[in-house]
Amino acid sequence: MTASSFALGLDFGTGSVRTLLVDTRTGEEVAAASFAYPHGDHGVITDPRDPEVARQHPADHAAGAIATIREVLARGAAHPDFHRDRIVGIGVDTTGSTPLPVDGRVRPLALTDGFEADRAALAWLWKDHSAHAEAAEITAAAQRAGLPYLSTCGGTYSSEWFWSKILHCQRHHPRVAEAAAGWLELSDYVPAWLCGIQDLAAVPRGICAAGHKAMYHPKWGGLPAADFLGQLHPGLLRVRETWRAPARPSDRPAGGLCAAVAAEVGLRPGIPVAIGALDAHLGAVGSGCGPGTLVKILGTSTCDCMVAPLALPLPEIPGLCGIAPESILPGMHGLEAGQSAVGDIFQWFVQRVAPAGFGHRDSAHALLAVAAANLEPGASGLLALDWHNGNRCVLVDPRLTGLVLGLNLATTPPELYRAWIEATAFGARVILDRLAEYGVAG
């Protein structure tokens, strides 16, 4: 029998990083570990003056990766076939769009002298909506010029995405913008850090984040044209100039594990590290996404993923988060949609609204879910919209807010919990209807 080989998967989420050790021959999950980000509120750094701000500290990403890799290697030792030298690859996924400013040696600006306390120098987490005005400006500029850049991202650029966040930084945080040699998606930064890449121009860019968040597509030569970005702000040209090679899918290597990180975690240098991708897209791979199968990833938000053969021409679908080549599976278009707040809504309710009688935050979810499950659909008379963090699809408007109708003095916490479950289901149905309307079968 052929000896087992193993792979490490690193998943950088909104509140934690998780590492998984897998037997590549059998698919067995050998060991797993999780590290909660210590900065901010469950890893999210906010600004009391601006509720749209949501940032992450890059120090948490490195500390979490090192801690969890060490832990899974220690746990994996109990497996009879496991040996560290049998690890053949490392995969990375992260939230997105979560861009961060870096210096010329690919160090996060927040970890350099003078920027330790500057929120703008942190990673701009996916759910940071402070760039809503810039997103609207990008949309208007592309529409006015008759350019195709919005055709693969649903017709509207989002405040959650790469260029709008960088443009907002240029306008409102010039000190950070001028100090940054460039910006990297977190899904590109982490593989670069693992590989010890210290030349910004040499960082491999993943097609997943580039195609869905940065208006990148091969049919117009990659990134939006220099004159288009330059008209928005000259600083965007500096960012564009750091992209020196085509974006590639995550079945390609970004490089080999560098000696410094290898020594930190106890692995041999040179283990191949894959080009990074967005968390939901790789979650879709693991969940069996294929032609005709939609995978709905549930977390702080949701992300709906589908694929279709590259040879199949796809329509422009208004309100979709994007269609990008090979962003999920090789040889396939990747289609993405989603809802901006799901787990976040239930966490907000438990933390801030539900009475103390439902116990600790973790147990409260279980108690409320059981009580809500005993209610018939619509029995409470409540009607809710899940727009607490705006609407991602199909309205693409971060300024929209949540709503509950039908409240009275007899309304109970489980009824509210159930109403938001139903609102989540309704939002999912709207996305499915939009896909079906444009002939994409799920």
Side-chain angles (χ1 to χ4, degrees):
M1 182 180 293
T2 305
S4 293
S5 61
F6 299 84
L8 288 171
L10 280 69
D11 169 44
F12 292 81
T14 300
S16 64
V17 56
R18 296 163 289 274
T19 293
L20 180 67
L21 177 65
V22 175
D23 185 326
T24 62
R25 181 171 57 86
T26 66
E28 176 190 358
E29 296 182 5
V30 175
S34 179
F35 175 94
Y37 299 137
H39 285 88
D41 181 7
H42 293 80
V44 180
I45 299 166
T46 57
D47 185 343
R49 301 164 299 178
D50 185 355
E52 307 284 7
V53 168
R55 309 278 159 82
Q56 276 185 338
H57 205 296
D60 292 352
H61 302 134
I66 290 168
T68 53
I69 292 173
R70 286 174 174 170
E71 188 172 346
V72 297
L73 293 177
R75 292 181 178 179
H79 190 284
D81 294 329
F82 175 70
H83 190 280
R84 295 173 185 226
D85 288 345
R86 291 183 178 175
I87 292 177
V88 296
I90 300 172
V92 173
D93 70 55
T94 76
T95 62
S97 179
T98 301
L100 71 159
V102 297
D103 68 8
R105 295 182 59 199
V106 201
R107 295 178 303 181
L109 209 59
L111 303 182
T112 64
D113 291 343
F115 292 94
E116 300 91 341
D118 196 325
R119 284 189 187 89
L122 300 169
W124 292 48
L125 188 60
W126 68 268
K127 64 178 182 175
D128 187 303
H129 284 159
S130 55
H132 55 84
E134 287 77 14
E137 182 181 351
I138 291 170
T139 298
Q143 291 173 339
R144 189 167 53 247
L147 295 168
Y149 306 140
L150 305 177
S151 64
T152 57
C153 63
T156 305
Y157 202 70
S158 170
S159 62
E160 294 183 0
W161 296 348
F162 188 77
W163 294 113
S164 53
K165 289 174 175 175
I166 298 172
L167 182 56
H168 184 82
C169 186
Q170 296 285 346
R171 297 262 170 80
H172 298 277
H173 307 283
R175 177 173 170 269
V176 167
E178 291 167 9
W183 290 70
L184 293 175
E185 280 286 356
L186 185 58
S187 57
D188 294 331
Y189 166 72
V190 173
W193 168 72
L194 289 170
C195 295
I197 297 172
Q198 296 185 357
D199 177 2
L200 184 55
V203 174
R205 310 289 183 132
I207 188 62
C208 188
H212 288 287
K213 313 300 179 185
M215 298 187 288
Y216 183 104
H217 202 283
K219 67 183 181 182
W220 52 75
L223 291 172
D227 58 352
F228 173 75
L229 294 175
Q231 288 171 9
L232 291 164
H233 196 287
L236 299 187
L237 288 178
R238 291 176 52 225
V239 177
R240 189 185 190 279
E241 288 167 359
T242 63
W243 293 57
R244 298 293 175 85
R248 295 181 289 166
S250 57
D251 64 341
R252 314 286 176 82
L257 184 67
C258 71
V261 176
E264 284 265 19
V265 299
L267 287 173
R268 59 179 172 83
I271 297 172
V273 177
I275 286 176
L278 300 179
D279 48 6
H281 298 69
L282 291 194
V285 175
S287 301
C289 188
T293 299
L294 181 144
V295 174
K296 191 171 191 70
I297 309 296
L298 295 169
T300 51
S301 65
T302 71
C303 191
D304 303 344
C305 293
M306 292 185 69
V307 297
L310 286 176
L312 180 68
L314 292 177
E316 297 176 13
I317 306 176
L320 209 65
C321 290
I323 301 173
E326 301 189 296
S327 62
I328 300 174
L329 290 174
M332 298 279 179
H333 296 288
L335 293 83
E336 177 197 349
Q339 293 160 264
S340 290
V342 180
D344 265 349
I345 295 175
F346 300 105
Q347 192 77 331
W348 158 81
F349 180 62
V350 165
Q351 286 182 322
R352 301 197 179 190
V353 181
F358 281 88
H360 184 268
R361 179 174 62 236
D362 295 334
S363 61
H365 285 294
L367 292 171
L368 286 163
V370 169
N374 290 325
L375 299 172
E376 294 296 323
S380 68
L382 299 178
L383 183 66
L385 286 174
D386 64 334
W387 298 345
H388 294 54
N389 198 27
N391 179 280
R392 181 181 295 162
C393 292
V394 296
L395 301 177
V396 198
D397 188 345
R399 307 295 284 169
L400 296 174
T401 55
L403 175 71
V404 180
L405 294 174
L407 292 166
N408 59 45
L409 294 179
T411 299
T412 66
E415 288 174 337
L416 283 165
Y417 205 82
R418 172 77 189 212
W420 283 309
I421 292 172
E422 293 175 358
T424 302
F426 174 74
R429 174 61 184 270
V430 169
I431 291 169
L432 292 174
D433 288 347
R434 176 56 58 90
L435 289 168
E437 180 184 354
Y438 283 82
V440 179

